[in-house]
Amino acid sequence: MTVPMRRLVVALTVCCALLVGATGYGSSQTATRDTTHAAVLVAATPSPTTSAERQKFAKTRFVLNAGLAAGATYQWIVKPARQGKFKKGAHGRKTALVKGALAGAFAYNRLKAAVRNAKGDPALARALAPLTAGIAALKDLPAKLHKGGASSDKAANSYNDIINQVKDAGKSQGAVVHNKVPTTSQLISGAKS
């Protein structure tokens, strides 16, 4: 008779657990709906951030955008230029030119974003102010890569020089930039933005 008693106790425990769980679920679902509604209301209203938070996020975004620009520039402009892939008659020139042009547009857009991000930190904005003209000049360089020869080397060196100046400006303000090579999809979508 002990076996049926155990089954009865187990069955009674399972039923109570299901009853309590079902009752708790109904009230938690209402509470979840109310909490979600309150969260949407809170998210819809802007919350002020401290200047320290703005500066921290500004530096973080600056480092990310400048790092992506540096990685794209090195991987698809500087390295192929050093290997001579932009020169007329070079093996893989068309592919290198397409990737170089995309990387150039991507790097230009990421550098513009990095300058916008730097405006959140006054010291970083002052450090980058002299570089804005150089960054703006990068807009026309992808076309120069196509010409090949000395003009493509000059364009690659211009990109590399601006990237190094941006890295140095960031480093002087505590925002150390490391090369981060973007994925191909990031390169394509970032070149369009």
Side-chain angles (χ1 to χ4, degrees):
M1 192 166 289
T2 59
V3 173
M5 185 62 115
R6 282 187 201 157
R7 288 185 183 161
L8 181 61
V9 171
V10 169
L12 184 58
T13 305
V14 169
C15 287
C16 289
L18 290 174
L19 182 63
V20 170
T23 307
Y25 174 75
S27 63
S28 72
Q29 190 175 28
T30 305
T32 302
R33 198 171 343 141
D34 293 340
T35 306
T36 305
H37 181 65
V40 168
L41 287 176
V42 170
T45 58
S47 61
T49 57
T50 66
S51 62
E53 286 176 333
R54 273 195 305 271
Q55 289 176 0
K56 179 180 179 185
F57 293 136
K59 282 185 178 181
T60 303
R61 289 181 185 134
F62 166 79
V63 167
L64 176 67
N65 283 318
L68 285 169
T73 298
Y74 181 76
Q75 184 69 28
W76 290 299
I77 296 174
V78 174
K79 201 162 105 177
R82 288 180 183 164
Q83 295 170 349
K85 294 209 175 189
F86 295 132
K87 294 182 179 171
K88 292 182 180 179
H91 179 70
R93 180 175 187 254
K94 287 181 183 179
T95 304
L97 286 173
V98 169
K99 288 181 179 180
L102 279 174
F106 178 83
Y108 172 72
N109 288 331
R110 291 302 88 211
L111 287 175
K112 282 189 341 186
V115 169
R116 280 193 308 271
N117 298 141
K119 290 179 182 174
D121 181 64
L124 192 55
R126 280 191 303 275
L128 282 179
L131 303 177
T132 54
I135 292 170
L138 294 180
K139 185 175 186 174
D140 300 327
L141 288 181
K144 292 181 181 178
L145 289 175
H146 181 66
K147 292 179 182 176
S151 71
S152 65
D153 291 340
K154 192 183 243 184
N157 289 333
S158 295
Y159 267 105
N160 199 31
D161 291 344
I162 292 294
I163 292 291
N164 287 333
Q165 290 171 2
V166 168
K167 284 175 148 183
D168 291 342
K171 187 176 180 181
S172 71
Q173 298 305 317
V176 179
V177 176
H178 298 285
N179 290 7
K180 181 170 176 22
V181 178
T183 63
T184 305
S185 62
Q186 284 177 319
L187 189 69
I188 293 168
S189 65
K192 294 176 184 177
S193 62

